[in-house]
Amino acid sequence: MIDIKALTLKLLCSCILLVLMVNLGLCQTPLLQNVYNHDITSLDGKWQTIIDPYENGFYNYRYEPFEYQSDPGNGAFFTNAKAKSKTDLVEYDFDKSETLDVPGDWNTQKDQLFYYEGSLWYKKSFDYDLKKADNKLFIYFEASNYQTDVYFNGKKLGRHIGGFTPFNYELTDLLKPTDNFIIVKVDNKRKKEGVPTLNTDWWNYGGLTRNVKLVEVPKTYIADYSIQLDPENDQNIKCTISINGELPAAFPVTVEIPELRIKETLTPNVNGQVTTTMKANQLSYWSVESPKLYTVNISTAEETVTDQIGFRTIETKGSDILLNGKSIFLKGISIHEENPIRGGRAHSKADASQLLQWAKELGCNYVRLAHYPHNEHMVRLADEMGMLVWEENPVYWTIDWENPDTYANAENQLTEVINRDKNRASVIIWSMANETPRSDARNIFLNKLAAHTRNLDPSRLISAALEQKDYNGQKEVRTIDDAFADVVDILSFNQYIGWYDGLVDKTSRISWVITQDKPVIISEFGAGAKYGYHADQDTRWTEEYQAHLYAETLNMIGKIDQLRGVSPWILVDFRSPRRVLPEIQDGWNRKGLISEKGEKKQAFYTLRDWYSQR
Ligand code: GCU
């Protein structure tokens, strides 16, 4: 006799569990590595959209999520409901709604969305025939800010939290040959428990800010790989490959680096893992002067995935940063992910090229990608150009340190960017945080992040913009005062003497005592200047003031013996709701060396000259 009541209860529980798992992102499929070189179909272009500030398409009038209802009815936007008869009640219609371009933040596409912080729905329909009946199909989002709920043909695939890292879901089992529809709810509301939290000094661009693509792979496919010099022995290349899907008994995987005359065929273990160490015969190291990239082919009977990978070592020794065993000074600049001339979030290869070309013109060999992971074009182009990179997790200012969900969110975002960029030679530093107020809870949070990072990627250096204070109570002697300094490989801190802290003449009176035997990077200094505003060098907001501060600051920091790098704040003026001084800021942070119209200020040349002499 079947106990219907018990069975129904069991079914209901498993439904709720599944929805919870999906909403906690537990159903997210492992990140596909290097999607550029898989079989992709772009979903970029016009998507239909519905602005939904009350989340009326997600909750019923009792504020219960439609997706928890066994029958969501015609109110849920993710079902793409249509009136089937003259009596049917449906109060939305994507097909008659306005569109937005994807990729692209919504703020700079429509005036009414400029300051919008809330939920907005996107819909895209497509037909799709798998090239082989038993292939698999994924949808890959390069980024979506901030909380993203993804539905395919009316079914919930998952929820991703974090505005700057990629994620993907499998579509195969729900795929139809025609009339497929993907519906995405993106919510960019800032939250106390978020990462970043409520207060930042940048524009909260919302939406599908980067490319969206379909990725077709064989039923047994190359899901992930790490191919890097062995941090323990730079004569060897360590190679780990993950094969996902049904694994037949014999499934040889070949990894080949033709220029190094390396070709090995290996058999995955029961978990689909392939690991090997290969002799790196006379390889040319990747470096700033000579950014050598090798073609790497990973192939199975079903597919070949190709990548361009550079091989180099990065380490610290006392106060030195050693690239391929040689001490290097990081001549850098901080960059926000914004295309100032078009406006809005940068997302394309052309945007990356513009920003990194400006950095190159400045004489940089290094960029600090603040304050969150930038799009993958930036790090791939940095690989090609020979530009070293600091990538940063958006653990910024007053994070909710004691909230375990906040920590899990921060750790997940860091994991996603490490997984995406682990094969990029240009990336040398993972930054855990920026300017975070000291406390026991904050130290525990950051120490856990650092330990997680070292476990995931022992080959790169760890840093963070640390806190500082007067040394032994001496007002004009500064030192780093931050417990996290004992954990990081590189001591970095932001300092604004001459802008927030006194005037420019104060720089001549300041000295620094750094007690730790580690390299030092000044991760920020700078001053605001409105391009074209000229007066004497003591007049704030003029180009002359900014250039004078640069010259005096460079003299001051030059006295720090352990100084091994600097990334002044910032390459280009950028939008910030915090910056509202009429006629000068007008919603822009003016610390750029270049204006939002691409005009170079005097300080650009001050810094370029200083770099040219190092
Ligand atoms: C801080 C912060 C930046 C901010 C800058 C400024 O150091 O790290 O995000 O934009 O100072 O005040 O301009």
Side-chain angles (χ1 to χ4, degrees), residues 18-44:
L18 179 66
V19 171
L20 279 174
M21 280 175 66
V22 159
N23 269 331
L24 293 171
L26 302 178
C27 286
Q28 217 169 290
T29 29
L31 192 68
L32 287 165
Q33 176 64 220
N34 180 16
V35 287
Y36 294 86
N37 287 293
H38 275 286
D39 175 0
I40 57 176
T41 303
S42 173
L43 290 182
D44 292 350

Side-chain angles (χ1 to χ4, degrees), residues 201-202 336 368 371 396-397 434-435 494 496 500 524 569 574 579 589 591:
D201 188 19
W202 68 79
H336 257 307
R368 175 183 181 224
H371 283 296
Y396 182 96
W397 286 356
N434 177 71
E435 280 189 1
N494 306 338
Y496 281 91
Y500 294 120
E524 285 182 35
W569 194 258
F574 62 94
R579 311 297 173 172
N589 182 310
K591 297 190 185 69

